Amino acid sequence: MAPSTRERRTQPRLIVHTGDGKGKSTAAFGLGLRGWAQGWSIGVYQFVKSGKWATGERAAYAALADRHRTTGEGGPIEWHTMGAGWTWLRATEGLDQAELAREGWRHVADALAEQTHDLVILDEFTYPLANGWLEVDDVLATLAARPGTQHVVITGRRAPQALLDAADLITEMTKITHPFDQGARGQAGIEW
Amino acid sequence: MAPSTRERRTQPRLIVHTGDGKGKSTAAFGLGLRGWAQGWSIGVYQFVKSGKWATGERAAYAALADRHRTTGEGGPIEWHTMGAGWTWLRATEGLDQAELAREGWRHVADALAEQTHDLVILDEFTYPLANGWLEVDDVLATLAARPGTQHVVITGRRAPQALLDAADLITEMTKITHPFDQGARGQAGIEW
């Protein structure tokens, strides 16, 4: 039997933004605005090195989270970043990138099992997968087994084929023209 | 002589998000979060028909604009949409899509001349261009002549080649897998 409209509309989505172009993370954070407006709980986990922390988006999300706390509008937002060490760890010194990635993924897996968020943004999560720090099969099994209607957005280059095969929606961002090619430098407000 | 770092960093960018995939507008609104965090004035002009109003993003931007008004954090945001009739027009009944598009562009051109905003998002602006409602050459001349360091982001499918030629940065969003192809319906928080 065909699923009902309600069933179709509450299908949990696994969304991947990949490719060499810009806009992968930016589109994920833009998508989060929709979820926020729906009153969703949003969890952001950035699997990035220091210096790529999306400080502008984070400041805006912090303002939206505060809006929710003070007025009830929108939804709550948690933002965690591997770059500075996961916030739930007491000590992250001495841990290397791979260990931090595995610790981050354990936390995400727990959050998925507990249905902590309605939308989970795993920013630059393709890197620990592509680098072999995490087992792709294990990650995909955990994602496939997530209960409820939790949406997950994964961003980053070099998305493993198995992840693409598992995704409900993939957008590839392709660079056509980029001023960096002509020697221009990044600038505040545009690149971060 | 090579431009200084400061000169390179303040180059006004003309950015185009095009292609048949998702994320064109979403990435533009995500980019706006960075500008907001920089304290920029942001102007959003949606050249869309009713029903494609990005209500979630608009609600989030309204909350951020309010944050700026009440705390000084971030920058101001103006949001105008053609779909409900431009807000600065007293009467928009009886105007057709082409007339509304031309009226909207006149307002954008004035805002550019007056340097009203630091970042201007022309959402779905490729449609009035592709539909012949606006003269591409006229629009490009106005954009090229804009004073200061105003950044402009244009989104939409079917971007005219002349616009692509003039752009500093183009990202093409390509659909690889999309659940609509399998009969799924759009859902709140994800598609709007």
Side-chain angles (χ1 to χ4, degrees), chain B residues 65 96 169:
Chain B
D96 65 17
L169 192 159

Side-chain angles (χ1 to χ4, degrees), chain B residues 3-16:
Chain B
S4 71
T5 297
R6 174 178 291 273
E7 284 168 340
R8 280 192 309 247
R9 284 185 180 239
T10 53
Q11 286 177 351
R13 296 268 170 83
L14 176 58
I15 298 170
V16 175

Side-chain angles (χ1 to χ4, degrees), chain A residues 44-65:
Chain A
V44 177
Y45 299 85
Q46 289 197 290
F47 287 78
V48 296
K49 294 184 186 177
S50 58
K52 293 192 68 183
W53 293 342
T55 49
E57 292 92 326
R58 185 171 189 168
Y61 268 44
L64 293 173

Side-chain angles (χ1 to χ4, degrees), chain A:
Chain A
M1 207 175 82
S4 70
T5 298
R6 175 178 292 272
E7 284 168 340
R8 282 194 308 249
R9 284 184 182 242
T10 53
Q11 287 176 350
R13 297 267 170 85
L14 176 58
I15 298 170
V16 175
H17 295 172
T18 191
D20 291 335
K22 292 175 72 75
K24 296 184 290 294
S25 300
T26 314
F29 295 126
L31 187 66
L33 299 181
R34 296 183 190 165
W36 178 84
Q38 291 289 328
W40 288 0
S41 172
I42 297 174
V44 177
Y45 299 85
Q46 289 197 290
F47 287 78
V48 296
K49 294 184 186 177
S50 58
K52 293 192 68 183
W53 293 342
T55 49
E57 292 92 326
R58 185 171 189 168
Y61 268 44
L64 293 173
D66 193 54
R67 176 82 167 195
H68 173 71
R69 277 191 299 271
T70 54
T71 72
E73 186 188 357
I77 301 174
E78 281 184 22
W79 187 297
H80 303 286
T81 180
M82 188 174 87
W86 299 109
T87 44
W88 61 84
L89 286 180
R90 292 199 182 176
T92 58
E93 286 181 29
L95 295 181
D96 65 19
Q97 292 287 310
E99 289 167 323
L100 281 169
R102 284 192 288 270
E103 173 58 30
W105 171 245
R106 273 193 293 273
H107 198 79
V108 171
D110 288 346
L112 289 172
E114 293 165 14
Q115 302 191 55
T116 306
H117 303 293
D118 303 291
L119 172 66
V120 176
I121 298 175
L122 304 180
D123 189 36
E124 312 244 12
F125 187 60
T126 57
Y127 297 98
L129 295 174
N131 289 341
W133 300 340
L134 299 173
E135 288 288 338
V136 176
D137 290 348
D138 168 63
V139 166
L140 292 179
T142 299
L143 287 173
R146 73 191 187 279
T149 57
Q150 303 172 83
H151 303 290
V152 178
V153 184
I154 294 174
T155 77
R157 300 180 185 204
R158 295 191 288 145
Q161 186 60 46
L163 172 61
L164 298 179
D165 292 342
D168 302 298
L169 193 159
I170 307 163
T171 299
E172 182 178 13
M173 278 70 170
T174 308
K175 177 179 70 174
I176 298 187
T177 300
H178 195 297
F180 291 177
D181 298 337
Q182 293 143 27
R185 294 282 297 276
Q187 55 189 310
I190 299 292
E191 270 80 27
W192 63 83

Side-chain angles (χ1 to χ4, degrees), chain B residues 92-170:
Chain B
T92 58
E93 286 181 28
L95 295 180
D96 65 17
Q97 293 284 312
E99 288 167 324
L100 282 169
R102 284 191 288 270
E103 173 59 30
W105 171 247
R106 273 193 293 272
H107 199 79
V108 172
D110 287 347
L112 289 172
E114 292 164 12
Q115 301 191 57
T116 307
H117 303 293
D118 302 292
L119 172 67
V120 176
I121 298 175
L122 303 181
D123 188 36
E124 312 246 12
F125 187 60
T126 55
Y127 298 99
L129 295 173
N131 289 339
W133 300 341
L134 299 172
E135 288 287 338
V136 176
D137 290 350
D138 168 62
V139 166
L140 292 179
T142 300
L143 287 172
R146 72 190 188 281
T149 57
Q150 303 171 82
H151 303 290
V152 177
V153 183
I154 294 174
T155 78
R157 299 180 186 207
R158 297 192 291 145
Q161 186 60 46
L163 172 61
L164 298 178
D165 292 342
D168 301 300
L169 192 159
I170 306 164

